[in-house]
Amino acid sequence: MGDTTGTRVFKKSSPNCKLTVYLGKRDFVDHLDHVDPVEGVLLVDPEYLKDRKVFVTLCCAFHYGREELDVLGLSFRKDLYVSSLQVFPPLLQDRKPVSRLQDRLLSKLGQHAHPFSFTVRPHPLHPAHP
């Protein structure tokens, strides 16, 4: 028998299923000199969007405390990195080479699929002083 293991893809759709994001992984590692790139594909329904633009936003956050403490508008979260880019309609200057996973998703999802990639710049963390 052949190897039947495949690549796991994480999928998240909008409530009306007109926008769907596909990611190859959900955990990204900071290797000190670089951070794993965030690569995915956005599938859009162009008839629904008409002349509107679609942006993908990446927010890396640090959560502390328990979820049940997030009440009365208090949030135990610190945003460490936020970045946004326009994915639809695609901008020519933002074209980057696609990964193997993105290429496979693009061929499977068809002409309304658009790749995106975030490169997170590593930020050195400074130790707290006593």
Side-chain angles (χ1 to χ4, degrees), residues 9-27:
V9 176
F10 298 96
K11 173 183 171 182
K12 184 68 175 175
S13 296
S14 63
N16 62 5
C17 296
K18 301 295 183 181
L19 298 171
T20 304
V21 174
Y22 296 86
L23 290 174
K25 59 183 180 175
R26 294 186 290 194
D27 298 319

Side-chain angles (χ1 to χ4, degrees), residues 61-113:
F62 175 71
H63 291 269
Y64 50 95
R66 297 187 311 267
E67 284 187 31
E68 60 266 12
L69 295 176
D70 288 349
V71 293
L72 301 172
L74 296 175
S75 177
F76 296 93
R77 161 191 169 128
K78 174 74 175 165
D79 289 344
L80 302 174
Y81 180 85
V82 177
S83 183
S84 184
L85 63 94
Q86 180 178 328
V87 179
F88 181 82
L91 300 173
L92 294 177
Q93 67 266 23
D94 288 343
R95 289 282 166 140
K96 295 179 183 175
V98 295
S99 67
R100 181 172 178 247
L101 175 67
Q102 287 174 314
D103 187 46
R104 291 172 66 195
L105 285 170
L106 291 170
S107 64
K108 184 174 184 174
L109 298 172
Q111 67 181 8
H112 300 302

